[in-house]
Amino acid sequence: MTYVVGYGPRNDDRSALELAFQFARSHPEPVVAVSVVPQGWGTPLAGGVDREYEEWAAGEGQRSAELAVADFAHHPRLPAEAVWVTGRSVPATLIEQATARDAALIVVGSAEEAEPGRVRLTSKTDRLVHSSPVPVAIAPRSYRTTSGITRVTIGFRDDDASWSLVDRVAGIARDSSARMRLITFLVDPARRPVTTDVSHAQAQVIDAWTTQANAAQAEAVAHLQSSGFTDDEVEHGISAAPDWSTAVSSVGWTDGDVLVVGSSSTHRLAQVFLGSSASKILRNAPVPVIVVPGAGT
C-alpha cells in the first residue's frame, strides 16, 4: 500500500507531504508525491503548438517532482517517490494513481487562502472528496509536525453511516497504534448564552439530544471494547454549543490528532455526498481531517 499525495506544480506549501509522512511514521508505507500536469490536445491539427505545450507541461512536471524530492529531505529514512503524470482532470488522475498504487489514503493540502492551521477545500479537492473511493486526508494550511498519529477523533452521529465509520476507523487507529475518540457535536443556533434564560421546551430538546447521544456513545464504546480496544484506548464526549466553531474547538486538540468525518447517510448518493454537518466540522477543524467515503445505497 502507499500514501498518494497530490503535489501541485510550483507548490508553495508542503503541508500535504507533512501529513503523509506523519501517517508513514505511524504505519510505515511508501509516500508517493504525484504532480498532475495538463495533458496535450493530441489532435493532428494541433501540430507544433501541441508539441510545445506538451514540452512546457513536461517541464512543469519535472520541476514539481524535483521540489517534492527536496521536501523529502525533511523526512529522512522514510521511503518516498516523486512522479509526474499528465491528465485532463486533477481529481480523476489522482484517483487513477491511487487505485493503481493501492493507496490507503489520498493526501492533499488546503486552499492558499486558508488561514494557517485551518482546513479549506479548493474546487479540485472538493471534487476529489466527493468522488474518491478511498479516504482523502486534508492537511491544514502550513501544517508541520514531528509526531505520529496518536489519536483519531470521529464525528459520531449515531446513524448507519457513523456506525460503519466506527468500524472502518478502528482499523486506521489500530494500524497507527492510536487511541480513538468519539465526539458528538450538538449544535443548536437557537441556544442562548448561559447567562440568559433558556425556554423550558428548548431545554427539554437539549436534554433529549444529550441523553440519546450518551446512550449511543456508550454502546459504541462497548462495541470497540468487544473488538479489542482497552479503556485507555477509547475516549468519548459530547460538545454542545450554539455554533460549529465553538463546538469543534472546545473538545481539545493536541499534536498527533486527526479528525475523521463520513458521508451523509440520508443522501441517496451517500458514497459521494459530504453532509452539511461534516462540511461544517471540516471548515472549523484545527487538525488534519480524513473524509471517508460511505458504502452507498
Side-chain angles (χ1 to χ4, degrees):
M1 300 184 76
T2 61
Y3 302 109
V4 167
V5 182
Y7 191 93
R10 303 186 185 280
N11 199 325
D12 66 343
D13 184 12
R14 69 172 195 266
S15 297
L17 279 177
E18 287 285 314
L19 180 55
F21 282 115
Q22 182 178 16
F23 280 106
R25 282 193 294 273
S26 297
H27 183 60
E29 298 288 357
V31 171
V32 182
V34 178
S35 299
V36 181
V37 299
Q39 188 173 337
W41 293 278
T43 61
L45 293 178
V49 174
D50 192 34
R51 284 193 296 274
E52 290 178 5
Y53 185 82
E54 290 178 347
E55 290 173 359
W56 170 83
E60 288 289 284
Q62 185 61 39
R63 281 190 289 273
S64 184
E66 291 171 356
L67 286 173
V69 170
D71 284 339
F72 294 166
H74 296 278
H75 305 278
R77 297 182 296 279
L78 291 174
E81 175 188 4
V83 300
W84 65 271
V85 295
T86 60
R88 302 284 186 192
S89 163
V90 173
T93 304
L94 284 177
I95 291 172
E96 290 172 0
Q97 288 290 310
T99 301
R101 296 175 181 275
D102 190 24
L105 289 171
I106 298 175
V107 188
V108 295
S110 288
E112 290 184 4
E113 61 269 20
E115 297 177 8
R118 291 292 178 179
V119 172
R120 291 291 182 274
L121 299 182
T122 66
S123 59
K124 292 177 182 178
T125 54
D126 184 66
R127 293 198 301 274
L128 179 64
V129 300
H130 285 83
S131 56
S132 175
V134 300
V136 177
I138 307 141
R141 184 71 178 170
S142 303
Y143 185 65
R144 301 290 185 272
T145 183
T146 57
S147 170
I149 303 298
T150 58
R151 183 171 61 177
V152 181
T153 297
I154 303 175
F156 184 71
R157 296 189 306 264
D158 186 28
D159 54 16
D160 290 343
S162 288
W163 279 98
S164 175
L165 191 63
V166 166
D167 285 330
R168 297 182 68 179
V169 174
I172 296 175
R174 284 194 179 284
D175 288 344
S176 303
S177 299
R179 305 189 311 278
M180 287 187 67
R181 179 170 66 166
L182 307 179
I183 296 292
T184 300
F185 298 100
L186 300 182
V187 176
D188 179 13
R191 291 183 65 179
R192 301 291 188 268
V194 294
T195 54
T196 65
D197 292 333
V198 177
S199 72
H200 179 66
Q202 185 181 349
Q204 285 184 316
V205 170
I206 295 171
D207 288 344
W209 282 354
T210 304
T211 300
Q212 181 179 351
N214 276 321
Q217 287 195 356
E219 186 178 355
V221 169
H223 172 71
L224 289 169
Q225 290 173 337
S226 70
S227 64
F229 284 85
T230 66
D231 289 346
D232 292 338
E233 293 172 332
V234 182
E235 306 170 48
H236 63 98
I238 295 171
S239 180
D243 60 82
W244 285 98
S245 177
T246 303
V248 175
S249 63
S250 64
V251 299
W253 302 97
T254 61
D255 191 25
D257 278 341
V258 296
L259 172 63
V260 181
V261 296
S263 62
S264 170
S265 62
T266 60
H267 196 277
R268 65 183 181 87
L269 299 178
Q271 182 175 356
V272 297
F273 182 74
L274 191 63
S276 60
S277 295
S279 296
K280 291 169 183 173
I281 294 170
L282 185 150
R283 287 197 298 271
N284 289 283
V287 297
V289 177
I290 304 174
V291 180
V292 178
T297 56

